Each structure stands twice: as C-alpha cells, then as structure tokens.
C-alpha cells in the first residue's frame, strides 16, 4: 500500500534504475505516518543501544539516534549492489518477507583492499577466515552492523518479493 501510494518514490526508483521499490529517497517520516513503524523504532532503539554497549563505544555527551528508516521491496531478479552507509555509525535491516530461495545478506571483509598479494582462501575455509560472510536472516530478525562495513544483497531468485526495512543510526 505504501509503495503503491508513494508516487515520488516510484519516480525515484524508475529514474535511478532501482529494481522494485524503496522509500529511501521519498519518505522520511514513516514512524509518524504509520503507527507500526513507531513500534518498530522502539524495538530497534533497544537493540541498537545493546549493540553499541557490546561494541564498547565511548559516546561521550552525544547520543546514538535513529537517522533514517526505509522500506525495500526487491522483486525477482532485483539486486542491491555493494555499498556502505555514510554519515551513520550503526546500520541494519529487519525482515518482513523472505520467500524460499531468496538472497542472503552478504558482508565483505573490510581488509579486502589490503589483500592484493594474499592467496585466496580455501572454499571450505572457516567462516571467520572467508572474505565474504553470508547471513540468512528470517522474518522478524534484526541484523545490525557498523555502517562502514560493505554489504550487498545478491539477486533475488525467488518469485516473490523480498521485503525488508533498513535503518541508519547516527551519533550526534
Ligand atoms: Fe545497506
């Protein structure tokens, strides 16, 4: 319903060759428009607070706060190429629809650019030694990571849409 009503968002996706739909560039007030997003933000705030404690961040006087929250609808054949989330410190995604056969969330070893002369890893190398890490989240899971960590969503090969809500937290 949100995607259908958001004409500005549809135009943006069309113009930017974005497969499916994202509200990223068009709606910045989901938690005010739709009460369920307010509930999601309350839950996310708790997870992010715990995560930042686990990261042992020394936040000083400043606080970690939600900066943006958006919807992603990735149809069959859709892909979200590797990227980071600038101007944020913690980013994440929670999952609404993960049809059978859909794509994982793929993280890239941040040292990759320094590994020019290093031999490749064995195919069956231990997970922590691999250059890429694949997470297979389930509906309702919340994935959190530091915003500098490059990640991507490989092609959705499921017939149904892969639907998620992503967010950025900043420190200010
Ligand atoms: Fe992302």
């Amino acid at each position: 319903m949100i995607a259908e009503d958001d004409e500005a968002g549809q135009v943006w996706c069309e113009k930017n060759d974005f497969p499916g739909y994202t509200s990223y560039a068009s709606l910045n007030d989901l938690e005010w428009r739709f009460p369920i997003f307010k509930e999601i933000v309350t839950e996310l705030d708790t997870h992010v607070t715990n995560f930042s404690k686990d990261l042992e961040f020394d936040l000083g006087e400043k606080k970690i706060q939600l900066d943006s929250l958006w919807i992603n609808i990735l149809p069959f054949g859709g892909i979200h190429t590797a990227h980071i989330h600038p101007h944020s410190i913690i980013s994440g995604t929670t999952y609404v629809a993960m049809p059978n056969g859909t794509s994982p969330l793929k993280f890239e070893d941040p040292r990759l650019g320094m590994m020019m002369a290093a031999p490749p890893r064995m195919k069956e190398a231990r997970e922590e030694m691999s250059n890429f890490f694949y997470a297979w989240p389930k509906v309702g899971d919340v994935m959190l990571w530091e915003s500098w960590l490059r990640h991507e969503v490989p092609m959705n090969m499921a017939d149904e849409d892969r639907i998620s809500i992503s967010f950025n937290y900043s420190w200010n």
Side-chain angles (χ1 to χ4, degrees), residues 2-54:
I2 296 171
E4 274 168 25
D5 288 352
D6 178 15
E7 280 174 29
Q10 291 170 24
V11 169
W12 188 91
C13 294
E14 189 85 37
K15 258 192 187 158
N16 291 276
D17 294 324
F18 194 93
Y21 168 78
T22 177
S23 64
Y24 182 73
S26 51
L27 301 175
N28 60 3
D29 55 357
L30 285 173
E31 60 273 40
W32 300 107
R33 284 173 192 251
F34 307 100
I36 190 156
F37 282 92
K38 218 169 185 171
E39 288 175 41
I40 293 171
V41 171
T42 306
E43 295 293 328
L44 293 178
D45 282 347
T46 307
H47 287 298
V48 170
T49 302
N50 291 337
F51 185 45
S52 76
K53 277 184 192 152
D54 191 55

Side-chain angles (χ1 to χ4, degrees), residues 40-167:
I40 293 171
V41 171
T42 306
E43 295 293 328
L44 293 178
D45 282 347
T46 307
H47 287 298
V48 170
T49 302
N50 291 337
F51 185 45
S52 76
K53 277 184 192 152
D54 191 55
L55 290 167
E56 308 212 36
F57 279 153
D58 181 2
L59 299 174
E61 299 290 299
K62 298 195 285 180
K63 281 192 178 128
I64 296 186
Q65 282 170 324
L66 181 75
D67 174 79
S68 43
L69 175 95
W70 63 97
I71 301 165
N72 309 291
I73 302 178
L74 200 69
F76 169 77
I79 187 169
H80 198 172
T81 52
H83 60 282
I84 57 170
H85 292 213
H87 310 298
S88 305
I89 60 163
I90 293 174
S91 296
T93 300
T94 185
Y95 296 85
V96 178
M98 292 294 276
N100 272 343
T102 196
S103 28
L105 172 61
K106 179 181 178 185
F107 293 100
E108 181 182 307
D109 187 332
R111 301 167 302 175
L112 212 52
M114 296 166 224
M115 293 179 183
M116 245 169 57
R121 305 282 175 182
M122 305 275 217
K123 219 175 168 198
E124 57 285 356
R126 297 195 310 278
E127 203 167 61
E128 71 272 23
M129 302 309 292
S130 301
N131 297 138
F132 297 97
F133 176 83
Y134 297 85
W136 298 91
K138 299 185 297 294
V139 168
D141 283 353
V142 176
M143 297 292 299
L144 298 173
W145 58 90
E146 290 190 61
S147 305
W148 48 258
L149 187 59
R150 195 189 298 266
H151 56 282
E152 66 178 277
V153 181
M155 189 175 286
N156 178 18
M157 296 303 284
D159 289 337
E160 301 88 45
D161 291 344
R162 182 188 192 278
I163 305 176
S164 60
I165 296 163
S166 295
F167 43 87

